[in-house]
Amino acid sequence: MLLFVQSLGAQEFVYTDATSLPIYGKICKETYGPFTRLPSSLESVCRPPLWRLGRDSAGEYIRFASDAGAFRLCWTSTFDTQSTNMTMCTVKGLALYVLDGGEWIYVGTGRPSSKGKENDHKISCSKLAGTMHEYMLFLSLYDGVDKLEIGVPEGCSILPPSIDSPSSNKAVVMYGTSILQGASASHPGMSGSNQLVRILDRQVINLGFSGNALLDMEIAELMAAYPDPGVFVLDNMPNGSPELTLEKQAEFYRILRKAHPDVPVVFVENPNYPGMRFDKGREQFVNNKNEALHKVFDNLVASGEKNIFLVGAMEMLGDDNVGTIEGTHFTDIGFTSYAIILAPVLKTLLNK
């Protein structure tokens, strides 16, 4: 749907409301807003911080085709979130990719305003002008998007995608913490889940809730209601404790298993943070959490559960201490390592 024409110097842009284009990375269609992650029905059920984080647009992306050589992105952020350990491009920016030579290639970042909710940024790709290409626009990781318009130069087209890539069939549904949500990638396209979207060429649903992956059963029920998942990934250990894991992890899992008896479920260990080398207390806490996860996993296997898998975290961040921004949250290097470790496991399970 064309909204309006705006003149920017000698060039006029025609804008399309992004809600008229396919939106992917959503656990359900009936969310609180077009770019939020939780349905309105959970507002009175969820803990307040969990509900607030559910209004962020982490993991969602817009798909379209265009013959433009430049894009003007105009969007309104929900909260104007500020951060001390993430770039503002990560928090409330956008990231544009193009399908070129069969691969999704980075084009540019929609850089947000430094203050305020109104954002306007132009991305130039003049070499692509005049030829129809497929595009994917990743949304903000740590803020919501209330409104988004995509502008192309007058005379150019913006259309729904002509191919199903990344495939929307049998999505990877991931549950986790601030790390899964995307802290602290350099821009939305570099989060672990969005890297997996491109590596697997598969829709990935990001249910990462910063500091709040506390095994809330309403989230398990929401995941269980997804109609045709390919794989479930439970990556909640960084927010947990040994006690919470032993108390709730199996119950959370069984909600998924009851709804989807044959869908693989992958458990992921807590990362081995670089500071553990020098912090005995933190090392012990992480080891205790992972021991608790192994105990839950072994008990499930002993009880006859099948099609469950556990991914170790020993090599997740490498050994060069550049995988985190402040000892916990991942840099692009950390997220790339994370994706490289998970991708073969997920690809094998999806191919089954």
Side-chain angles (χ1 to χ4, degrees):
M1 179 186 297
L2 299 182
L3 295 182
F4 60 90
V5 178
Q6 181 181 12
S7 177
L8 293 166
Q11 196 171 38
E12 290 187 334
F13 280 72
V14 181
Y15 285 78
T16 296
D17 186 335
T19 59
S20 67
L21 299 166
I23 306 169
Y24 293 95
K26 294 169 70 73
I27 190 69
C28 61
K29 293 181 180 180
E30 298 76 22
T31 52
Y32 178 79
F35 308 113
T36 61
R37 296 185 291 160
L38 297 180
S40 299
S41 59
L42 289 187
E43 183 173 8
S44 61
V45 179
C46 285
R47 294 178 293 104
L50 183 60
W51 173 253
R52 156 63 186 84
L53 291 163
R55 294 178 65 187
D56 293 341
S57 52
E60 296 185 1
Y61 57 93
I62 310 296
R63 280 281 286 109
F64 62 93
S66 179
D67 58 354
F71 297 95
R72 197 91 196 185
L73 306 174
C74 298
W75 73 103
T76 303
S77 299
T78 306
F79 304 107
D80 188 27
T81 303
Q82 305 294 311
S83 174
T84 59
N85 71 338
M86 287 181 278
T87 71
M88 293 313 296
C89 292
T90 302
V91 174
K92 59 176 185 173
L94 311 173
L96 183 66
Y97 284 71
V98 65
L99 190 61
D100 185 52
E103 294 185 47
W104 285 103
I105 306 297
Y106 172 76
V107 177
T109 299
R111 295 169 59 182
S113 60
S114 58
K115 293 183 179 180
K117 298 180 179 180
E118 301 302 320
N119 310 284
D120 184 344
H121 190 77
K122 179 183 177 182
I123 297 177
S124 296
C125 47
S126 57
K127 291 183 178 181
L128 302 177
T131 304
M132 194 66 68
H133 285 80
E134 298 283 328
Y135 289 90
M136 177 161 51
L137 183 65
F138 290 108
L139 303 187
S140 308
L141 296 177
Y142 266 79
D143 207 323
V145 175
D146 284 345
K147 184 178 181 181
L148 170 61
E149 294 158 351
I150 304 172
V152 296
E154 193 172 20
C156 294
S157 301
I158 184 166
L159 303 169
S162 61
I163 60 173
D164 185 31
S165 176
S167 174
S168 57
N169 183 46
K170 293 192 176 298
V172 177
V173 182
M174 303 185 72
Y175 171 66
T177 69
S178 54
I179 297 171
L180 177 62
Q181 187 169 342
S184 299
S186 60
H187 62 72
M190 290 306 294
S191 72
S193 69
N194 287 342
Q195 288 198 47
L196 287 169
V197 167
R198 301 191 300 277
I199 294 171
L200 300 173
D201 193 34
R202 187 70 58 107
Q203 181 178 199
V204 177
I205 295 169
N206 183 321
L207 292 175
F209 302 104
S210 181
N212 281 274
L214 302 178
L215 297 171
D216 297 271
M217 296 306 156
E218 62 268 25
I219 301 301
E221 296 285 359
L222 181 65
M223 295 169 67
Y226 191 78
D228 191 26
V231 182
F232 288 117
V233 179
L234 303 183
D235 188 9
N236 54 284
M237 293 309 295
N239 285 167
S241 66
E243 295 77 17
L244 181 68
T245 302
L246 294 172
E247 178 186 354
K248 291 188 173 183
Q249 192 83 38
E251 180 185 358
F252 194 99
Y253 159 80
R254 290 190 186 281
I255 291 173
L256 305 180
R257 178 55 75 229
K258 181 178 180 181
H260 300 281
D262 301 318
V263 173
V265 179
V266 177
F267 298 83
V268 182
E269 284 187 345
N270 196 109
N272 288 312
Y273 305 118
M276 289 167 53
R277 178 174 180 175
F278 306 108
D279 187 336
K280 183 177 181 179
R282 194 179 199 196
E283 179 184 43
Q284 188 63 58
F285 184 53
V286 169
N287 289 341
N288 289 346
K289 285 196 288 182
N290 285 335
E291 286 175 9
L293 179 63
H294 277 263
K295 184 174 182 179
V296 171
F297 183 84
D298 291 343
N299 286 342
L300 289 172
V301 172
S303 70
E305 291 294 330
K306 301 184 184 301
N307 221 7
I308 61 175
F309 306 87
L310 196 150
V311 175
M314 184 61 68
E315 306 300 328
M316 187 171 290
L317 287 171
D319 56 4
D320 51 11
N321 296 324
V322 296
T324 70
I325 193 169
E326 29 51 326
T328 299
H329 297 97
F330 292 8
T331 61
D332 289 357
I333 294 173
F335 277 125
T336 299
S337 177
Y338 174 88
I340 287 172
I341 285 175
L342 276 181
V345 176
L346 299 178
K347 189 174 294 186
T348 298
L349 296 177
L350 289 168
N351 286 340
K352 284 184 177 181

